[in-house]
Amino acid sequence: MDTYKLYLNGEWIDTGSHRVVADPGSGEEIARVATGDRDLARRSLEAAKRALPGWRALTGIKRGDFLLAVADGLRRRAEEIARDITRENGKPLGQSLAEVHATVDHFRWFAEEARRAYGRVVPHQVDGKRHLVLRQPIGVVAAISPWNFPLLLAARKIAPAMAAGCTVVLKPASQTPVCAIKLAECMHEARVPAGVFQVICGPAAPIAAEFSENPICAKISFTGSTEVGKKLIEASAQTVTKLSLELGGHAPVLIFADADFEQAVEGAIITKFRNTGQSCIAANRIYVERSIYDRFLERFVERARELKVGHGLEAGVDVGAMVNQQALDDAIAHVRDAVAAGARLLCGGEAVPGSAGFFLQPTVLADVPDGAVCMREETFAPVAPVVPFDTEEEALAMANNSRYGLAAYAFTSNFTRAFRVMEGLEAGTVCINDAVPATSNCPFGGMKESGIGRELGIEGMDEYLETKHVSIAGIG
Ligand code: NAP
């Protein structure tokens, strides 16, 4: 079993306390990772504060060069880090490798953005005055990341924050600390100055309390559940610590009768079952126009049954292990609740028998009533509820009837409908005939209870820049 230290102020620290990380696909203990407490979180913020002036003073081009060196390190070690992701998260190896390559692209994108933190010169309204708008790094940033895309979602915070000139302390999810530590190794190898990037693992609540209450921490960037996001809003109220929140989702998928049928089925399969259904933008409600409903169900179930479930390191696996026993139990509870409410279970619904890991058979539910829990609360699992609709207006109303607004999908070949639907859907990301939307160069984030702020795109670095107006009098 490998043992990992924390990365603080440019050094590898063994705190003497450890957490064991287990492979959700086999139960095997794979790593021992040092853990820190609230005091260590405070010390990491202090080191980040000391590193800030030097890092902020570098040109954007120089900071970008460091980010490119980190990207190169990740690329060189892509196979190794992908295996780490699969072993601690459970997802199929091909999807882990795709995650590493997308992370490399995030670092490369923000390396370029580092040189583009433009301010403005604003024409004056009073003689003798001049006005400048400066864009400056916000300061020390604490990043808290989830386990479902453990490298990628951490990078969406770290890369733009460092590009902007901020220093960063990362607290990764307890289930998936290894790839965060591998990222720290890449930072170390790239000679990123001490204190600019640090990793602290350990119990979330006290570490997050330090981030919220310590005035050194200018910003918390969080990805995870809406429940924890709300706690962070409350906790930050006293210090008015800035927040970016990437929270839960409940994505609707609208499939119209005029869609390319096979493209729609494949799109629904991908958006539901990729990452074992444990994606914030995963389909949670699939609405299908009634005239193709039965045909869709037949083909969708056929494709769901074809998906190979197994350990993420096995060749050809499409659906890996769920993250832990609780996640598996919650998913099965959602299925049973839906069936009790009147839904038809067409396939799956049970754990894969005789397995040492947390495997759920790909599950399809039809005619799921509105009152079922899965129609309101996120089912973070390979469980697909399908419901018929009759009109576009009804489909849009059902899609928007949610407290979440992260992603939404529509499949249609009617051009004007595509525009009506993209404008009408209440979601930060809308996919038309697409199932995998996220890309380094476009903004990502949620409306309603799905979050505050945006990651990626040119908006991604804005989250780590303060805006300062400078007013100058007595000129000319
Ligand atoms: P989670 O339980 O909220 O955990 C996310 C992170 O928050 C982990 O690092 C966790 O640490 C930490 N945490 C737990 N309790 C905390 C507290 N009281 N204060 C501060 N931090 C705390 O969420 P999850 O189960 O890992 O992730 C699944 C959720 O994330 C889903 O709702 C999903 O939709 C959402 N998500 C959203 C996006 C997006 O971009 N909008 C992307 C991915 C996932 P420990 O692991 O140590 O508990």
Side-chain angles (χ1 to χ4, degrees):
M1 187 171 23
D2 295 322
T3 300
Y4 295 96
K5 298 176 180 173
L6 301 184
Y7 186 60
L8 296 167
N9 199 22
E11 292 177 354
W12 298 99
I13 307 287
D14 189 353
T15 54
S17 58
H18 293 89
R19 188 180 195 281
V20 172
V21 178
D23 176 343
S26 66
E28 187 193 345
E29 296 187 342
I30 52 171
R32 271 161 53 88
V33 177
T35 54
D37 56 9
R38 181 167 179 164
D39 186 54
L40 204 63
R42 178 183 55 75
R43 282 159 49 199
S44 69
L45 291 176
E46 287 165 357
K49 183 183 176 186
R50 286 194 298 277
L52 187 62
W55 183 249
R56 189 171 50 190
L58 294 179
T59 62
I61 293 174
K62 186 68 193 154
R63 287 197 299 270
D65 285 345
F66 278 111
L67 294 187
L68 289 176
V70 174
D72 281 348
L74 287 168
R75 194 173 37 77
R76 269 197 308 276
R77 298 174 63 179
E79 302 275 340
E80 167 208 337
I81 296 174
R83 285 181 71 83
D84 291 326
I85 293 176
T86 288
R87 295 204 74 202
E88 59 183 357
N89 165 286
K91 72 179 74 179
L93 186 59
Q95 295 180 21
S96 297
L97 201 52
E99 177 170 345
V100 180
H101 287 306
T103 304
V104 168
D105 197 58
H106 288 354
F107 273 95
R108 294 179 67 85
W109 167 261
F110 284 110
E112 296 291 327
E113 284 299 283
R115 60 173 84 187
R116 285 193 263 277
Y118 300 128
R120 303 201 306 278
V121 178
V122 179
H124 50 281
Q125 296 186 337
V126 174
D127 284 342
K129 281 210 169 194
R130 295 292 185 274
H131 300 282
L132 306 181
V133 178
L134 306 186
R135 305 283 282 145
Q136 295 183 313
I138 199 164
V140 172
V141 171
I144 303 177
S145 56
W147 49 263
N148 64 334
F149 289 91
L151 186 68
L152 187 75
L153 300 184
R156 287 183 188 178
K157 308 171 180 317
I158 297 160
M162 285 174 60
C166 299
T167 54
V168 183
V169 179
L170 170 68
K171 196 221 83 73
S174 297
Q175 174 69 35
T176 52
V178 174
C179 59
I181 291 169
K182 294 286 172 85
L183 174 60
E185 290 176 6
C186 293
M187 295 272 183
H188 195 70
E189 285 158 16
R191 300 182 186 283
V192 170
V196 170
F197 176 72
Q198 302 173 86
V199 178
I200 179 166
C201 304
I207 292 173
E210 185 63 26
F211 293 161
S212 300
E213 292 168 24
N214 190 326
I216 290 176
C217 182
K219 167 137 198 169
I220 300 175
S221 180
F222 170 80
T223 300
S225 60
T226 295
E227 187 190 351
V228 172
K230 288 179 181 178
K231 286 185 188 169
L232 288 171
I233 292 173
E234 276 180 37
S236 302
Q238 291 313 312
T239 43
V240 196
T241 304
K242 308 286 181 290
L243 291 172
S244 288
L245 301 174
E246 294 288 336
L247 307 178
H250 204 266
V253 181
L254 308 185
I255 298 180
F256 292 93
D258 58 29
D260 176 321
F261 184 77
E262 279 304 318
Q263 183 188 46
V265 171
E266 256 346 273
I269 288 283
I270 292 167
T271 173
K272 179 64 265 183
F273 296 109
R274 188 173 71 104
N275 216 50
T276 315
Q278 300 173 124
S279 161
C280 52
I281 58 168
N284 266 249
R285 296 167 284 148
I286 301 175
Y287 299 108
V288 183
E289 195 162 350
R290 199 175 299 274
S291 60
I292 58 163
Y293 184 64
D294 289 340
R295 185 174 159 226
F296 175 85
L297 283 174
E298 191 180 333
R299 181 75 181 118
F300 187 64
V301 169
E302 183 181 42
R303 286 289 295 113
R305 285 205 171 109
E306 281 169 7
L307 297 173
K308 183 176 171 191
V309 182
H311 192 285
L313 293 180
E314 274 173 39
V317 162
D318 301 297
V319 177
M322 297 190 61
V323 71
N324 55 32
Q325 185 67 52
Q326 185 65 51
L328 181 58
D329 292 346
D330 288 350
I332 292 171
H334 276 205
V335 174
R336 291 190 180 152
D337 168 82
V339 171
R344 288 185 289 140
L345 178 63
L346 300 187
C347 66
E350 297 294 338
V352 173
S355 166
F358 311 113
F359 296 101
L360 182 70
Q361 295 164 334
T363 300
V364 180
L365 294 158
D367 311 339
V368 186
D370 239 11
V373 172
C374 67
M375 297 303 283
R376 295 188 310 274
E377 295 306 322
E378 194 176 20
T379 309
F380 220 50
V383 175
V386 191
V387 173
F389 70 84
D390 291 302
T391 66
E392 185 184 308
E393 294 71 31
E394 182 195 9
L396 265 178
M398 291 196 295
N400 289 336
N401 183 21
S402 172
R403 66 189 176 107
Y404 297 108
L406 189 59
Y409 304 80
F411 289 86
T412 177
S413 36
N414 179 325
F415 183 74
T416 52
R417 166 174 284 152
F419 268 83
R420 281 196 303 273
V421 167
M422 79 173 77
E423 288 168 5
L425 284 167
E426 296 167 358
T429 296
V430 173
C431 296
I432 304 291
N433 300 327
D434 188 19
V436 188
T439 172
S440 299
N441 49 340
C442 292
F444 180 87
M447 296 182 182
K448 306 189 208 176
E449 292 192 24
S450 287
I452 298 173
R454 292 292 181 270
E455 296 190 324
L456 304 179
I458 54 174
E459 291 83 353
M461 201 170 68
D462 280 351
E463 300 279 324
Y464 301 96
L465 293 167
E466 278 285 20
T467 300
K468 183 187 284 177
H469 169 211
V470 181
S471 181
I472 307 165
I475 296 181

